[in-house]
């Protein structure tokens, strides 16, 4: 059962500078669904539109970001709604925090730097629940305890905490209302590896305890491999491949996914890791045809002219690449020879 269905979503940044208008097609025709209780990952290099996608589906859309098309449907336990029907920011805010929760990129943006942590918890809880001070304390204490955090953290200021602790507190704050679906944007980026592991464990623990759904955005493929059930790979504002983690890591079908995976260290392999050549294109003026073609070792004329659709390969795997289309045996042969 899908808790979230996104259809042909287009979210663009439309700006005016000195009378010239510019459109950055950050999310450009994205369709996917997320099942109840699963961990759905979104991967891709910097600037591919991952954060914009999360903003759009959590209703955090303000200028210059605009939704130019598509649908975002939620199937909550007792209610179905299309978030784009909510015209009022008040309604969207009520939804966020209570039913859907976004842990944004960069934890400092959630915690108020000049106020103690307790104040941030008060702001969130009193905005959604009618509770007494005693009930507030009990709710927060139980939640912190379940996450292995101490109540004393409530009396500190954000800058007094380490990066890892601050991220834990942000996660605690974002999940205190037991949302049905959580969006985490790069929750482990900028943390050292040991602290990262702790934060991953924390996210797992919350998911198990609260039985909710999680969408996890990170460019770190090893985090996806550890945590996710299914994974979508974004490139230049589009999903280019989606599949269950096992088949996607075991047998990637899109050359871009292979490129991302080749940067991962492998046991026993002592050769130096090579970074992917080139960089994602500007989304104000993306290349024609397949947006990956300028970096693709297998690109042919067709890739420069036509845009490959995201096609279902089998029950669990989708890919947008002519290489995988029936009839392109010649291309597949070439790809196999070159590997
Ligand atoms: N406020 C803005 N105005 C104009 N363009 C923007 C704005 N915010 C983001 N963009 C552009 O939208 C595109 C997608 O950005 P987004 O932040 O969604 O990428 P991302 O995949 O989350 O990258 P990262 O991994 O660096 O967080 C980029 O080209 C970015 O420059
Ligand atoms: Mg981002």
């Amino acid at each position: 059962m899908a808790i979230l269905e996104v259809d042909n979503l287009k979210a663009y940044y439309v700006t005016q500078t000195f009378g010239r208008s510019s459109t950055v097609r950050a999310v450009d025709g994205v369709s996917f669904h997320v099942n109840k209780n699963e961990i759905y990952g979104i991967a891709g290099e910097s600037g591919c539109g991952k954060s914009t996608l999360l903003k759009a589906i959590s209703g955090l859309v303000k200028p210059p970001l605009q939704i130019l098309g598509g649908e975002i449907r939620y199937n909550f336990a007792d209610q179905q709604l299309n978030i784009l029907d909510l015209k009022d920011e008040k309604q969207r805010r009520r939804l966020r925090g209570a039913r859907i929760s976004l842990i944004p990129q960069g934890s400092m943006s959630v915690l108020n730097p000049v106020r103690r942590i307790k104040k941030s918890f008060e702001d969130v809880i009193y905005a959604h629940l009618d509770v007494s001070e005693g009930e507030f304390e009990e709710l927060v204490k139980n939640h912190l305890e379940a996450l292995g955090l101490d109540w004393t953290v409530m009396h500190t200021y954000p800058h007094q905490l380490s990066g890892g602790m601050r991220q834990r507190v942000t996660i605690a704050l974002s999940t205190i209302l037991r949302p049905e679906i959580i969006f985490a944007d790069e929750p482990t980026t900028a943390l050292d590896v040991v602290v990262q592991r702790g934060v991953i464990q924390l996210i797992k623990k919350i998911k198990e305890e609260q039985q909710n759904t999680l969408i996890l955005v990170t460019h770190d493929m090893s985090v996806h491999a550890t945590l996710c059930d299914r994974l979508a790979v974004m490139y230049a504002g589009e999903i280019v491949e989606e599949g269950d983690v096992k088949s996607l890591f075991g047998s990637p079908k899109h050359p871009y996914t292979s490129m991302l995976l080749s940067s991962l260290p492998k046991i026993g392999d002592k050769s130096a890791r090579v970074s992917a050549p080139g960089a994602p294109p500007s989304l104000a003026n993306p290349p024609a045809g397949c947006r990956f073609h300028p970096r693709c070792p297998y690109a042919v004329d067709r890739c420069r002219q036509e845009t490959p659709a995201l096609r279902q390969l089998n029950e669990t795997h989708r890919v947008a690449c002519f290489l995988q289309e029936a009839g392109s045996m010649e291309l597949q042969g070439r790809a196999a020879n070159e590997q």
Side-chain angles (χ1 to χ4, degrees), residues 50-51 105 185-186 217:
K50 307 180 299 293
S51 296
Q105 196 164 354
D185 195 354
E186 304 279 4
V217 162

Side-chain angles (χ1 to χ4, degrees), residues 37-202:
N37 264 318
E38 80 173 332
I39 304 187
Y40 185 87
I42 299 174
E45 287 162 288
S46 187
C48 282
K50 307 180 299 293
S51 296
T52 309
L53 177 59
L54 284 196
K55 277 185 214 158
I57 59 183
S58 57
L60 260 177
V61 178
K62 43 184 187 248
L65 184 61
Q66 292 183 20
I67 306 283
L68 272 294
E71 292 208 13
I72 305 165
R73 290 184 299 273
Y74 282 95
N75 301 307
F76 293 123
D78 58 353
Q79 186 193 14
Q80 292 189 326
L81 69 91
N82 187 337
I83 199 163
L84 301 180
D85 290 343
L86 304 179
K87 296 288 173 228
D88 181 4
E89 172 53 22
K90 233 191 210 161
Q91 287 174 308
R92 292 199 294 263
R93 205 175 312 134
R94 209 172 305 137
L95 188 72
R96 283 198 303 273
R99 283 179 182 278
I100 63 184
S101 178
L102 172 66
I103 306 169
Q105 196 164 354
S107 53
M108 276 310 266
S109 54
V110 188
L111 304 169
N112 189 328
V114 293
R115 295 164 99 183
R116 293 182 202 274
I117 303 287
K118 187 172 178 215
K119 188 75 191 99
S120 295
F121 275 81
E122 284 171 355
D123 288 349
V124 168
I125 291 174
Y126 291 131
H128 293 275
L129 301 176
D130 184 18
V131 287
S132 68
E133 208 180 317
E135 287 165 330
F136 165 85
E137 274 198 20
E138 198 184 319
L139 180 67
V140 178
K141 265 190 182 138
N142 287 342
H143 187 58
L144 291 181
E145 202 174 292
L147 303 188
L149 292 168
D150 199 87
W151 171 260
T152 50
V153 81
M154 299 296 275
H155 304 301
T156 58
Y157 287 94
H159 70 265
Q160 294 174 310
L161 301 172
S162 68
M165 185 53 82
R166 206 154 51 216
Q167 186 61 309
R168 284 163 175 272
V169 169
T170 309
I171 292 171
L173 180 64
S174 310
T175 53
I176 183 96
L177 298 171
R178 305 178 81 88
E180 286 179 56
I181 182 162
I182 304 167
F183 306 130
D185 195 354
E186 304 279 4
T188 58
T189 309
L191 302 177
D192 72 61
V193 178
V194 177
V195 180
Q196 261 188 19
R197 207 173 304 143
V199 168
I200 290 170
Q201 291 306 332
L202 180 72

Side-chain angles (χ1 to χ4, degrees), residues 7 13 39 49 83 87 90 112 124 132 134 174 181 186 211 219 223 230 236 253 268 295 301 303 318-319 329:
D7 254 347
Y13 295 96
I39 304 187
I83 199 163
K87 296 288 173 228
K90 233 191 210 161
N112 189 328
V124 168
S132 68
S174 310
I181 182 162
E186 304 279 4
Q211 290 288 304
H219 61 266
V223 172
R230 289 193 303 137
K253 301 293 183 211
R295 297 172 76 188
D301 280 347
C303 311
R318 296 191 296 161
V319 66
M329 295 313 286

Side-chain angles (χ1 to χ4, degrees), residues 5 31 81 111 152 179 205 214 218 227 250 262 271 280 305:
E5 295 163 292
S31 301
L81 69 91
L111 304 169
T152 50
K205 203 168 174 180
L214 174 68
T218 171
L227 266 178
S262 68
S271 60
Q305 287 145 15

